[in-house]
Amino acid sequence: MTAAREELDVVVVGAGPAGCAAAITAVREGLRVLVVDKATFPRDKTCGDGLTTAALRDLERLGLSLGVLPSAMPVHETVLVSPSGRRVTLPMPGGGLHTVVVPRLELDAALVALARSVGVDVHDGVALEGLVDGDPAVARLSNGFTVRTRWVIAADGQYSPTRRALGVRSGPELGTWHAVRQYFSGVDDARLSVLFEADLLPGYAWVFPLPDGRANVGFGVLRDGRARGKELRALWPDVLARASMREALGPRACPEGAHRAWPIPSVYDPARLAAGPALFAGDAASVVDPLTGEGIAQALETGMLAATSIARAGSRPTVRARYVSLVDRALGRDLRFAGRLQRLLRSPLGARASIRAAGLTPWTRRNFARWMYEDYPRALILTPDRWGPRMFTPPGAYGSSS
């Protein structure tokens, strides 16, 4: 642990995907980095456990081997179930992996191990207790140490202690989405299922397969006009009893442990990306896809962009402006586009029409799967600066090892 007399380039608060991506990138850029996280790894993180193509490509860029994830489950087919009961099967493209399900218990621990292996100083079980803005800033930690640092990358989640320590407006405390997850065993179908129930729209229920007949099962809904979290959690037995869910789970499925709920922030606002000495990444930056609730790819991307923004050096205003610009260019346009599309899925008619269109031909089924799993940017068709050869058919991740 570095004491107050030695100045660091970056303190990363949070060792989840955003924090580890930031730290690994920063060390490779030659920066002096310390990572702290109040949790002790391995630790579970309530999540749907799904990795999109964009997330897999980022993990490959960071150097994470799939071999260190024993429960990683590649997905080869996805079943969409319309509010009318119509079922459409989407085959996954070849040429690498396009979506994988892996428990966050394994993924996050593997990223922490990777960070340590490349020289990142990671201290789990240590929380940020205070942050004094200055040049340098001074971070007070729960183990009694203080550290001086030029920058803080706040990858500390929805309730960001860094944001609170700086006295910055935190936004909706309860999150934009509310989700519930439970693990099951005895699930016979190895396909990934997404179930659009009329009363959950624009949210959905899911069955995400894991090895040996296990699955991550859950649902997510927007909080707009909804009841409080406790009442939303009470929907869970009803969702499990529905015909579409029972068909997806099969007759032998049994729950493992209790169900757990969590908030998902997905109101993108560039003004929330930076404040004082801090750049915010992942859930702390509210960069979750408002259409699907997916946030791992966005967490990895913002973590890497925060580190590279700092590595290019410059004054505080310059670094902050660079980071905001990079995030808005890489993710902002797609998040805004996804927010507009979300309105289409708020009605059963819109959901039925979308699923019907996805299933029209083999071509629409393949390409809807690519779009759904972030194989290319959400708003690609509207952003000509990203057009190029094979822009709609890029190779998947881990092509040489999958």
Side-chain angles (χ1 to χ4, degrees):
M1 177 66 71
T2 305
R5 62 179 178 274
E6 182 178 345
E7 184 178 324
L8 294 166
D9 294 308
V10 185
V11 170
V12 179
V13 183
C20 284
I24 292 166
T25 304
V27 163
R28 288 174 177 165
E29 292 281 357
L31 302 179
R32 296 164 298 170
V33 184
L34 170 69
V35 178
V36 296
D37 195 301
K38 66 181 180 180
T40 301
F41 291 78
R43 63 98 175 92
D44 191 20
K45 170 72 164 61
T46 309
C47 179
D49 295 340
L51 298 176
T52 63
T53 318
L56 290 167
R57 290 194 185 110
D58 284 340
L59 292 172
E60 186 176 26
R61 284 169 56 198
L62 289 170
L64 185 73
S65 168
L66 291 182
V68 301
L69 302 170
S71 298
M73 181 74 166
V75 173
H76 301 293
E77 282 190 331
T78 295
V79 179
L80 304 181
V81 183
S82 166
S84 66
R86 181 189 184 93
R87 303 172 71 84
V88 172
T89 300
L90 309 178
M92 300 307 301
L97 295 174
H98 293 264
T99 187
V100 171
V101 182
V102 57
R104 288 289 297 275
L105 181 73
E106 288 184 12
L107 176 66
D108 290 14
L111 282 169
V112 168
L114 175 62
R116 285 175 168 149
S117 75
V118 301
V120 177
D121 189 14
V122 181
H123 289 260
D124 55 354
V126 176
L128 177 73
E129 291 197 336
L131 180 62
V132 178
D133 192 0
D135 190 15
V138 178
R140 181 167 51 86
L141 308 177
S142 63
N143 59 1
F145 281 83
T146 59
V147 294
R148 298 190 303 177
T149 181
R150 294 192 302 116
W151 288 99
V152 174
I153 296 178
D156 47 0
Q158 159 81 0
Y159 302 113
S160 182
T162 304
R163 194 180 296 277
R164 292 184 177 185
L166 291 171
V168 180
R169 179 179 60 86
S170 61
E173 285 288 307
L174 294 176
T176 314
W177 287 76
H178 182 92
V180 173
R181 177 215 76 182
Q182 188 169 23
Y183 287 108
F184 275 69
S185 59
V187 179
D188 296 325
D189 196 338
R191 297 176 299 177
L192 186 151
S193 295
V194 180
L195 318 171
F196 294 95
E197 294 285 310
D199 62 323
L200 302 182
L201 296 174
Y204 57 93
W206 69 78
V207 179
F208 289 178
L210 289 164
D212 302 319
R214 298 183 68 240
N216 179 313
V217 183
F219 77 93
V221 293
L222 275 178
R223 282 189 176 273
D224 294 352
R226 302 278 181 170
R228 295 185 178 275
K230 185 181 294 185
E231 293 161 319
L232 289 170
R233 287 185 66 176
L235 276 175
W236 186 227
D238 176 64
V239 171
L240 286 177
R242 299 182 186 189
S244 60
M245 178 64 79
R246 297 314 309 170
E247 183 173 352
L249 288 173
R252 300 190 306 114
C254 295
E256 298 178 357
H259 63 284
R260 297 175 61 182
W262 78 104
I264 302 175
S266 66
V267 178
Y268 173 67
D269 179 359
R272 290 172 53 82
L273 292 172
L279 303 181
F280 296 89
D283 281 6
S286 297
V287 289
V288 175
D289 187 328
L291 190 65
T292 64
E294 150 65 16
I296 297 177
Q298 292 80 359
L300 295 166
E301 185 77 11
T302 49
M304 290 187 283
L305 290 176
T308 54
S309 297
I310 293 168
R312 292 183 191 176
S315 66
R316 272 194 186 177
T318 299
V319 172
R320 288 197 298 255
R322 179 187 300 137
Y323 177 58
V324 171
S325 176
L326 288 173
V327 171
D328 201 60
R329 186 174 179 81
L331 298 174
R333 295 177 290 180
D334 303 301
L335 294 172
R336 287 189 288 268
F337 180 67
R340 291 192 292 269
L341 286 179
Q342 182 196 86
R343 302 187 190 107
L344 176 66
L345 293 178
R346 287 176 182 258
S347 72
L349 178 62
R352 290 198 303 268
S354 298
I355 294 172
R356 186 180 300 111
L360 283 176
T361 69
W363 185 90
T364 59
R365 288 193 288 272
R366 287 193 305 271
N367 284 277
F368 191 86
R370 284 186 180 275
W371 182 82
M372 178 178 173
Y373 290 118
E374 299 178 328
D375 198 356
Y376 51 81
R378 285 269 186 263
L380 179 60
I381 194 67
L382 302 178
T383 50
D385 60 293
R386 297 189 284 189
W387 293 358
R390 299 195 64 189
M391 63 181 184
F392 292 115
T393 57
Y398 297 97
S400 61
S401 58
S402 58

